[in-house]
Each structure stands twice: as structure tokens, then as C-alpha cells.
Amino acid sequence: MRSLAAASSAQPGGRGKVELSRRGMQLYATDYRFVSVRRGECGRERLKEVVDLLCHMGMQVGAATYASLLRCCTDLRALWDGRRVHAHIIRAGYDRDRFLGNLLVRMYGKCGFLEDACGVFDKICRRNTFSWNIMIHAYAENGRVAEARYVFGKMPQPNVVSWNVLLNMYGKCAILNDARSIFDRMPQRN
């Protein structure tokens, strides 16, 4: 495994230095590329640069860095980079992590790849309300009314967000009778 410090030290003006802990091979977010992604300041080129660095160097980073990368992939609808980050997450052993799983479901849903979103959702250990809401939202956002309704029906305890996602979906799809029915059944109205 190659040292990121050696690979990044060639940056002009000393920029881009990455320190690597020998214990656990964790990447410290001092590299300007990683810092910008963690702050959410990423464009397509910066995202690609960071994902390339991560994947080609075979490095393992913490959950917070994976989360930032997934948020950027989601915001940019960068499916290819998101798939690469997902593969890296699996290799790093974070594939059953609920937090990262939720972000993966969100990314695949935003990119319109609902089968992948569902596959990740099925593997999330101890799903929480947020997990269920993200899956319902992924279906709703893509106009998959029946699937959204099905997941909503399987949800252990829908909350106000769950009801609102369904209500919003019916409204956008102009299924007003069902929207009214959902509204009338809502335990809390805001």
C-alpha cells in the first residue's frame, strides 16, 4: 500500500499534503481536496479527483469522509463516483452501517436507481425512522407511487415526515383523492 503523503507531496507549493497514520491507515482530512469535500465545497472535478485518489491509493478513511463524499455525489447526481465510493465502503467493512446506508439510499434514489436504493435499504441493520423515510422519499421522488405506499405500509411507526412525503407525492402526481385520504388519516397535521 502506497503512502498518500508521498503521492501528494508533489503538489505545487506544498499544497495537498496528506498525513497517514500507520495504525489503522486512517486518512487525516488535511489534504485540501478532502477538506473541500468535507465542507461541501465540491464540484464534479474536485469530487472525481478525491474519489480517484481514494480508490487508486487503496486507502481507508473514516465514516465522516465517506459521508461527505456521498453527500457530494448526491448533490451532483454523480452516480459513477457514488458507485465507486459505495464499493470502497463495502471493502472497508462499512456496508452494514446505518448512517452510510441511509446516505447511499438517498444517493441512489436521487440518481433514479431505485433497485440499488432498495438493495442497500434491505441491508441496513436496525433501520430507523430516517431510513424508512429516505426509502419512501426515493420512490416518491421518482413517481413510484405504489412502491412508496407499500414501504409506508411496512414502516413500523410512520412519523409526520413520512405522512408529509406521501401527501406531497400524491399532490405532485395529481392523485388528489388519495392525497385527501392521507391528509384525513394523518395523526398530526402541521
Side-chain angles (χ1 to χ4, degrees):
M1 194 169 281
R2 203 167 141 206
S3 166
L4 268 183
S8 300
S9 62
Q11 294 292 327
R15 287 180 29 209
K17 184 178 180 192
V18 175
E19 296 176 22
L20 193 60
S21 167
R22 298 270 181 225
R23 299 165 285 140
M25 303 302 269
Q26 290 293 313
L27 180 70
Y28 292 111
T30 57
D31 183 291
Y32 73 98
R33 294 166 288 203
F34 281 87
V35 170
S36 66
V37 168
R38 293 202 57 190
R39 288 182 183 158
E41 303 164 357
C42 63
R44 284 199 185 279
E45 291 305 313
R46 176 61 46 86
L47 176 64
K48 183 179 179 342
E49 181 182 11
V50 170
V51 173
D52 285 347
L53 180 64
L54 183 71
C55 293
H56 289 121
M57 297 305 294
M59 304 308 303
Q60 184 175 352
V61 296
T65 301
Y66 286 127
S68 296
L69 287 168
L70 289 173
R71 284 186 190 105
C72 286
C73 291
T74 301
D75 293 344
L76 297 170
R77 309 279 196 288
L79 179 65
W80 172 245
D81 289 321
R83 287 190 187 280
R84 292 173 66 204
V85 172
H86 186 185
H88 209 271
I89 287 169
I90 292 169
R91 282 193 301 274
Y94 286 111
D95 54 319
R96 302 211 39 77
D97 181 88
R98 179 174 58 200
F99 178 65
L100 293 176
N102 289 340
L103 291 174
L104 282 164
V105 170
R106 183 171 168 250
M107 184 212 46
Y108 283 125
K110 287 271 187 194
C111 292
F113 283 74
L114 299 174
E115 290 75 23
D116 293 319
C118 189
V120 172
F121 177 77
D122 288 342
K123 291 179 183 173
I124 295 174
C125 294
R126 297 180 316 274
R127 292 180 206 124
N128 60 11
T129 304
F130 192 66
S131 307
W132 288 92
N133 285 336
I134 288 175
M135 193 68 235
I136 293 167
H137 188 265
Y139 281 129
E141 187 174 45
N142 287 280
R144 305 274 290 268
V145 175
E147 291 92 337
R149 180 65 188 206
Y150 176 78
V151 173
F152 179 83
K154 300 284 276 179
M155 189 174 181
Q157 290 184 318
N159 65 2
V160 68
V161 173
S162 316
W163 289 94
N164 283 332
V165 167
L166 219 54
L167 183 63
N168 187 37
M169 175 192 67
Y170 283 131
K172 284 184 178 178
C173 294
I175 307 172
L176 302 181
N177 288 337
D178 288 343
R180 181 60 192 201
S181 173
I182 289 293
F183 181 77
D184 290 340
R185 292 184 16 220
M186 287 177 75
Q188 297 174 328
R189 296 181 189 140
N190 59 3

